[in-house]
Amino acid sequence: MPLKVVELFGYSPDSPKIGEAVRSRHCPFIRGTCRKYFSTGMPSGLCSASQTQSPKPVICCPQRLYADDYQILRRVADSAFGAGFPFLTGDWKLPLQTDSVIPFGQRMGKELKVKARGASYSFDWILALVSPDGTLKEFVAVEVQTIDTTGSYQYQSWEIQHRHESDAIKGFKEPASGKSSNFNFENVNKRIIPQLITKGHLLRLESLCKKGLFFVCPTPVLDRIIQRLGGKLTEYAMQPGAITFQDYTISAEGSVEPFPLIYGKSLTTTLDQVYLAFSAPAHLPEKDSYTRVVQDAVKARLSGLVAPR
């Protein structure tokens, strides 16, 4: 079954504002033009979606997490450095009035990179705590991840845009309506957890990264990561080598538009705990699980029930 669109270009398909949103392709979360496209070049506009068997919305676009003027980054700064520091998103000049937080990332400067042995390392965001004269006092790194999808929800997006006469889809044929799509939670687990471990090691070498790495994601994504890591992680205070998980969802009920972004929880553990949980055999399938699968496949093949491909 295909995914159901919960928000497109910032609004519900049932919203009175969806027509204007579709035609303008304006993203209300970054206050600019939506940057989400299909591989065909057709604008996607998908902010959040839900599965047929689960109506709870899942945030699909990182820009959706930047609602309320990058509130997720402000919360990270408060968690890492303490509340009350000015968060400098625009232009500024020295001297500053007080210690302040300067974000570096998409549309705010650039992603800061380092290289080693031909490999390049970067984070979605670096939040730097600086003194009034601009001296770096401390920093934290932030990775922002939403959810990957399988299959195609292109027809769902096309149908809404076509209904509201979007010029952006002119020249694109009507996609097939019967294609299935789903959330790819396992790909997030396989791809993200090893990256967090590697980047956590990098930050451990930094004397001014005193609180480690923050990872911000939708609530269902964090739930699956915790499940993959055994269901429970020992909690620690923030420290060098720490990883702090923070999750968000949206409230798709009520009359507020766009839907409010809802903060979930914050869990701080260590790089060592994540590494041990990820590699621990206790969290793998039980003994001889693959033996039984292979034996069943052999019997099916030899009985003629399954033709070789």
Side-chain angles (χ1 to χ4, degrees), residues 31-93:
R31 299 172 186 173
T33 302
C34 175
R35 301 182 178 186
K36 198 172 181 69
Y37 291 84
F38 294 106
S39 59
T40 60
M42 190 187 99
S44 161
L46 186 70
C47 310
S48 62
S50 63
Q51 296 171 307
T52 304
Q53 67 272 27
S54 177
K56 292 183 178 180
V58 181
I59 297 169
C60 301
C61 177
Q63 318 303 334
R64 179 64 178 92
L65 284 168
Y66 298 146
D68 305 321
D69 195 21
Y70 295 85
Q71 185 59 44
I72 67 166
L73 300 182
R74 297 172 187 270
R75 179 169 280 113
V76 168
D78 289 348
S79 299
F81 309 132
F85 293 110
F87 196 82
L88 305 183
T89 59
D91 296 329
W92 64 90
K93 293 182 180 180

Side-chain angles (χ1 to χ4, degrees), residues 108-235:
M108 293 189 199
K110 61 180 180 179
E111 288 189 10
L112 305 181
K113 300 181 180 181
V114 295
K115 295 183 178 180
R117 298 181 180 179
S120 179
Y121 300 91
S122 65
F123 298 90
D124 292 327
W125 295 92
I126 295 292
L127 305 184
L129 178 65
V130 301
S131 64
D133 66 0
T135 300
L136 178 63
K137 301 181 69 173
E138 188 178 346
F139 74 91
V140 293
V142 186
E143 287 288 277
V144 178
Q145 175 69 41
T146 50
I147 183 65
D148 299 327
T149 59
T150 61
S152 176
Y153 58 87
Q154 191 165 350
Y155 175 79
Q156 286 82 354
S157 175
W158 180 91
E159 190 277 327
I160 296 170
Q161 294 187 67
H162 176 72
R163 190 193 325 153
H164 294 284
E165 301 178 339
S166 170
D167 290 337
I169 63 170
K170 289 183 177 179
F172 292 97
K173 295 181 180 179
E174 178 178 344
S177 61
K179 287 191 174 182
S180 63
S181 53
N182 212 331
F183 297 128
N184 192 350
F185 289 105
E186 185 54 31
N187 187 49
V188 173
N189 283 340
K190 291 189 295 186
R191 180 168 55 85
I192 292 301
I193 296 176
Q195 284 187 18
L196 293 178
I197 293 170
T198 299
K199 292 183 177 183
H201 278 303
L202 185 157
L203 293 174
R204 222 173 195 171
L205 300 172
E206 301 295 327
S207 58
L208 291 183
C209 186
K210 302 175 183 179
K211 306 295 171 51
L213 173 64
F214 280 72
F215 180 74
V216 181
C217 65
T219 300
V221 173
L222 180 55
D223 290 344
R224 294 298 184 95
I225 289 176
I226 299 301
Q227 180 182 347
R228 174 62 180 83
L229 295 176
K232 183 175 177 59
L233 292 169
T234 302
E235 294 195 49

Side-chain angles (χ1 to χ4, degrees), residues 229-247:
L229 295 176
K232 183 175 177 59
L233 292 169
T234 302
E235 294 195 49
Y236 284 77
M238 292 182 191
Q239 58 188 277
I243 298 180
T244 299
F245 298 94
Q246 295 184 341
D247 66 287

